Amino acid sequence: MTVHTPATAPTPAAPAHVELAIGGMTCASCAARIEKKLNRMDGVEATVNYATEKAKIAYDRENTEVADLIATVVKTGYTAEEPAPVAREETPPDGTTGEEPDDPALVSLRQRLVTATVLAVPVIAMAMVPALQFEYWQWLSLTLAAPVVTYAAWPFHKAAWTNARHGAATMDTLISVGTSAAFLWSLWALFFGTAGMPGMTHPFEFTIARSDGAGNIYLEAAAGVTAFILAGRYFEARSKRKAGAALKALMQLGAKDVTVVRGDGSEVVVPIGELKTGDRFLVRPGEKIATDGKVVEGSSAVDASMLTGESVPVEVGVGDPVTGATLNAGGRLVVEATRVGADTQLARMAKLVEDAQNGKAAAQRLADKISAVFVPIVIALALGTLGFWLGSGAGLTASFTAAVAVLIIACPCALGLATPTALMVGTGRGAQLGILIKGPEVLESTRKVDTIVLDKTGTVTTGRMTLLSVHTADGVEEGDVLRLAGALEKASEHPIAQAVATGATEKVGTLPTPEDFANVPGLGVQGIVDGHAVLVGRTKLLAEWAMALPVELERAKAEAEAAGRTAIAVAWDGEARAVLTVADAVKDTSAEAIRRLRGLGLTPILLTGDNTAVAEAVAAEVGIERVIAEVMPEDKVSVVKSLQEEGRSVAMVGDGVNDAAALAQADLGLAMGTGTDAAIEAGDLTLVRGDLRAAADAIRLARRTLGTIKSNLFWAFAYNVGALPLAAMGLLNPMIAGAAMAFSSVFVVGNSLRLRSFKAA
């Protein structure tokens, strides 16, 4: 009998991802068109960002190639290419990248703007001031306006024609049609009407009550609208460049060259791209550390402010980790590379920020949908306005004025810029302060959270044992205790012993070498130091040598243990001499951080696997009222879930592998960048420096960025909702409408740029 095993369906391959730089977009409706075309392709999911001018695409590599994606964009009327990697170059002294003077698009835009401004000003002046209307002034206006409407406005006409060939209409279509209509109407009036006759005046009015007849010309509207919109485009382009400057500066922080130390001791300078994991390289005082690594020789102070926002240099020595792009502010270091290229912390930070900037919030998706149909609706509204006024007997000139104003006043650009520009500036400013926001969805979460769960070890505390205090018996000098106990503990590898040795070295300097040393498992250490028989460890170790603690030391031991700290007895020459208190020390900034979190309306909860006494002692020290202690790592997720079931919106701060699942479960996960990769990957916000105050700053920045996005969207919607009816009613001169349209985009970008002034509290 033959048994037929059913065929197993093949597992679908994971989609490939690519990012394309898009050229030729002039408004949000352009981005919406490209996105729509790409998403019509089989197996393609695309998001196009007008502000960053990039398309983020997931596609099935078996059916689609990158060339197919680029071809689709080109067929839509735009350009596309895979962006070249940003070269690592030194940043200017002010820390910004500044404007690229040789950017041909910006140079061309500036030239057209200057031309339009110089020629349009006298045209507008003659139209507005009757005293300037000399004989045949209209012909001079035509002479000056013609280059504005042709040469200066050429990008609008070109884009409109390209879109028309593809059966589409964008913001450029509205501008091109509006300015061309005003110019052609004026030509007809000059050559075939009465406008070219001597003495013909041209009053500048804001309402539909303008005098009727073919004699009216609109050269000032055609030239003025072009100049205003070019000005808006130019300042918008410069502002968008500023909005992305923080990310570009971050990507350019790394060193270009590195001095590699070969096995024979020789030193060779090579490009940073040739550095490999395991290579040892030299970092002289004042140089940037080339890549992530660990110090194998030397000691120094490292300035990490460009990555963490922390201005105080950090002391490093042999065995300590260092991060690429930080500055060696002190001595000579030899570092062994542990991460290179895209795996470094700098590269990962830049990737997180860039991914966040390319994301879209839910509100922006609504704006994109509106932008996609906005231009056809405006064209229909303009035609309807023209027909309505003609039907009401207002006359051809008045009807034409209202229709042109409708075409010119409409602006989907502000809607398209509302979210991405705020995201660009907010995430860029966060990167400068050591705060990485993963995406726009995170912003909404920061607004809702009301409870923040804090992992104790490594988050509220330093995560390493520290010598906190020394209690001595009568007549015993503290220095003697530290010198003898520290010398013996230095020979042990136990974390508590290392804490004692480190604390002793900091207070008394160089420690003597034990003449004899023995580890007593579970109890402590013993040996001979400077001729003294020394014991350091539990009181049981002293009891084995028939020694007991004096009353004052017994009291100190009991108080330390009641506070959840570890008490270590020290004895020599047959007598108990001191009690040392060791604990995982609370960070100096944790108490202030808790106060700031409370100020944001959050209820802090301390979560730890330590015993209740230790947890409550730490909580009392920093000002936390609720403690959840003795929790197994796998149960942290359950704790977060139970808080959510209580109706709370929970933020979680952690840094360890055992925090990753809880960070993912929480409504908002904040990962300490000093922690593990798993925690950082699971978090929504990453705090590059290990300072809990950064958690409060991160929430403040995220909330402010969200507020900026909402205000941008409100004003963008309000502008169109208010301006379009006014234009349709004939209450806006086309030139004023053009100025207002240009201002709306500049306003949105300018409002977003205010986030650059955000400061850590």
Side-chain angles (χ1 to χ4, degrees):
M1 179 178 177
T2 303
V3 178
H4 296 281
T5 304
T8 304
T11 304
H17 293 82
V18 68
E19 191 176 83
L20 299 180
I22 307 297
M25 291 193 298
T26 55
C27 66
S29 56
C30 298
R33 281 188 59 231
I34 298 170
E35 189 172 296
K36 185 177 181 180
K37 291 283 187 181
L38 287 171
N39 286 326
R40 283 179 177 173
M41 299 176 68
D42 291 338
V44 174
E45 290 185 12
T47 299
V48 180
N49 192 312
Y50 168 52
T52 61
E53 297 180 337
K54 290 181 180 178
K56 193 174 181 181
I57 307 170
Y59 65 98
D60 181 358
R61 67 173 76 243
E62 294 183 0
N63 300 319
T64 308
E65 296 181 358
V66 174
D68 300 326
L69 301 171
I70 293 175
T72 298
V73 176
V74 172
K75 287 178 183 177
T76 311
Y78 305 88
T79 63
E81 61 182 0
E82 292 187 74
V86 177
R88 295 190 192 180
E89 299 174 353
E90 297 292 333
T91 51
D94 63 358
T96 63
T97 57
E99 177 188 321
E100 297 176 15
D102 58 348
D103 179 4
L106 204 58
V107 170
S108 174
L109 189 57
R110 182 167 57 241
Q111 291 172 343
R112 294 178 192 277
L113 171 60
V114 170
T115 301
T117 303
V118 170
L119 297 179
V121 167
V123 174
I124 296 171
M126 285 186 286
M128 293 178 63
V129 183
L132 297 178
Q133 295 170 0
F134 56 88
E135 190 173 1
Y136 299 114
W137 66 271
Q138 302 92 332
W139 298 101
L140 177 60
S141 292
L142 175 63
T143 304
L144 296 174
V148 178
V149 179
T150 53
Y151 164 73
W154 178 247
F156 307 138
H157 305 318
K158 181 181 178 182
W161 172 247
T162 301
N163 289 318
R165 285 170 52 205
H166 291 87
T170 65
M171 190 65 220
D172 290 295
T173 305
L174 302 183
I175 298 169
S176 178
V177 170
T179 55
S180 298
F183 185 73
L184 293 174
W185 174 280
S186 300
L187 281 180
W188 181 81
L190 282 168
F191 284 98
F192 303 106
T194 59
M197 302 298 292
M200 179 66 194
T201 60
H202 181 59
F204 183 84
E205 300 177 17
F206 289 84
T207 69
I208 205 164
R210 195 167 175 168
S211 60
D212 197 6
N216 284 324
I217 60 174
Y218 289 89
L219 293 172
E220 88 288 352
V225 165
T226 300
F228 284 129
I229 294 175
L230 281 172
R233 289 274 174 94
Y234 177 71
F235 290 116
E236 177 188 315
R238 286 193 52 173
S239 298
K240 287 194 325 187
R241 192 173 298 275
K242 288 181 182 178
L247 174 59
K248 190 169 183 182
L250 182 67
M251 297 175 74
Q252 292 179 332
L253 279 177
K256 294 186 293 181
D257 300 310
V258 57
T259 303
V260 176
V261 181
R262 302 299 188 193
D264 59 2
S266 62
E267 299 175 1
V268 182
V269 178
V270 301
I272 187 67
E274 295 182 12
L275 190 65
K276 299 179 178 63
T277 302
D279 285 350
R280 294 190 173 190
F281 59 92
L282 176 65
V283 190
R284 298 180 180 88
E287 290 183 344
K288 289 181 180 179
I289 296 173
T291 193
D292 298 356
K294 66 177 179 180
V295 179
V296 294
E297 184 182 319
S299 61
S300 181
V302 174
D303 179 1
S305 59
M306 64 285 295
L307 291 184
T308 66
E310 183 58 58
S311 59
V312 180
V314 178
E315 297 291 333
V316 298
V318 175
D320 289 333
V322 289
T323 305
T326 55
L327 186 68
N328 179 14
R332 177 182 183 276
L333 295 175
V334 176
V335 179
E336 181 178 314
T338 56
R339 287 176 174 171
V340 296
D343 295 328
T344 64
Q345 182 171 337
L346 174 65
R348 291 161 67 205
M349 285 175 62
K351 186 67 168 64
L352 280 172
V353 175
E354 192 167 18
D355 287 346
Q357 292 183 353
N358 285 328
K360 289 188 179 182
Q364 182 61 30
R365 295 189 184 280
L366 173 61
D368 287 349
K369 290 180 180 178
I370 294 173
S371 298
V373 297
F374 188 85
V375 174
I377 290 175
V378 170
I379 292 175
L381 181 60
L383 292 173
T385 300
L386 178 64
F388 172 80
W389 286 114
L390 285 174
S392 65
L396 184 60
T397 300
S399 304
F400 176 79
T401 301
V404 170
V406 169
L407 289 173
I408 299 299
I409 196 68
C411 184
C413 302
L415 291 174
L417 291 167
T419 294
T421 52
L423 266 180
M424 287 171 70
V425 182
T427 55
R429 181 58 182 151
Q432 292 174 332
L433 297 173
I435 300 166
L436 305 182
I437 302 171
K438 278 199 174 177
E441 300 82 5
V442 174
L443 304 178
E444 193 65 31
S445 299
T446 61
R447 183 183 66 84
K448 297 176 181 177
V449 291
D450 52 32
T451 301
I452 185 162
V453 176
L454 305 165
D455 175 60
K456 180 183 78 68
T457 306
T459 302
V460 177
T461 65
T462 61
R464 61 182 184 275
M465 301 302 284
T466 305
L467 177 62
L468 298 181
S469 61
V470 180
H471 302 275
T472 61
D474 291 340
V476 177
E477 295 292 332
E478 180 178 307
D480 293 336
V481 173
L482 292 173
R483 185 169 53 84
L484 297 176
L488 205 58
E489 294 282 55
K490 189 176 181 180
S492 172
E493 295 181 353
H494 194 281
I496 292 178
Q498 288 299 304
V500 172
T502 300
T505 301
E506 291 175 352
K507 292 187 177 182
V508 301
T510 304
L511 301 174
T513 302
E515 300 168 24
D516 188 20
F517 172 83
N519 180 51
V520 183
L523 294 180
V525 294
Q526 60 189 38
I528 306 298
V529 182
D530 287 349
H532 299 283
V534 183
L535 302 174
V536 182
R538 295 187 177 186
T539 52
K540 288 182 180 180
L541 178 62
L542 274 65
E544 290 187 359
W545 291 83
M547 284 182 278
L549 293 178
V551 174
E552 65 271 23
L553 294 185
E554 189 65 53
R555 185 183 305 115
K557 174 178 175 292
E559 290 175 353
E561 290 177 343
R565 295 169 178 170
T566 301
I568 305 166
V570 181
W572 66 81
D573 296 342
E575 292 185 23
R577 310 280 182 166
V579 167
L580 308 178
T581 302
V582 176
D584 179 6
V586 172
K587 293 178 182 178
D588 296 337
T589 57
S590 291
E592 182 185 350
I594 298 303
R595 287 194 295 272
R596 292 185 185 180
L597 291 169
R598 287 188 183 278
L600 293 171
L602 304 176
T603 301
I605 297 175
L606 188 67
L607 178 65
T608 180
D610 280 352
N611 65 64
T612 303
V614 172
E616 289 182 346
V618 170
E621 186 173 345
V622 299
I624 297 177
E625 297 173 359
R626 183 172 177 182
V627 175
I628 303 176
E630 301 180 26
V631 177
M632 297 298 289
E634 58 270 20
D635 293 332
K636 289 186 176 182
V637 174
S638 300
V639 171
V640 173
K641 283 183 179 178
S642 66
L643 291 171
Q644 291 170 328
E645 288 169 358
E646 293 175 12
R648 298 173 182 263
S649 183
V650 180
M652 168 81 188
V653 187
D655 72 334
V657 172
N658 56 14
D659 298 323
L663 288 169
Q665 174 63 38
D667 299 288
L668 178 68
L670 294 92
M672 304 292 278
T674 51
T676 65
D677 291 348
I680 294 171
E681 185 64 30
D684 301 308
L685 290 163
T686 298
L687 315 176
V688 177
R689 65 183 191 270
D691 185 341
L692 190 56
R693 291 178 299 181
D697 291 333
I699 293 173
R700 282 178 52 238
L701 175 61
R703 286 180 175 178
R704 184 167 166 186
T705 303
L706 179 64
T708 301
I709 288 173
K710 290 187 173 182
S711 66
N712 282 349
L713 287 169
F714 170 79
W715 287 112
F717 277 113
Y719 165 82
N720 283 290
V721 169
L724 279 171
L726 288 176
M729 293 166 63
L731 300 177
L732 284 177
N733 179 279
M735 185 174 62
I736 302 301
M741 189 276 276
F743 174 76
S744 67
S745 294
V746 175
F747 171 81
V748 164
V749 178
N751 188 43
S752 299
L753 286 174
R754 293 191 305 125
L755 287 168
R756 297 171 75 190
S757 64
F758 177 88
K759 288 182 174 60

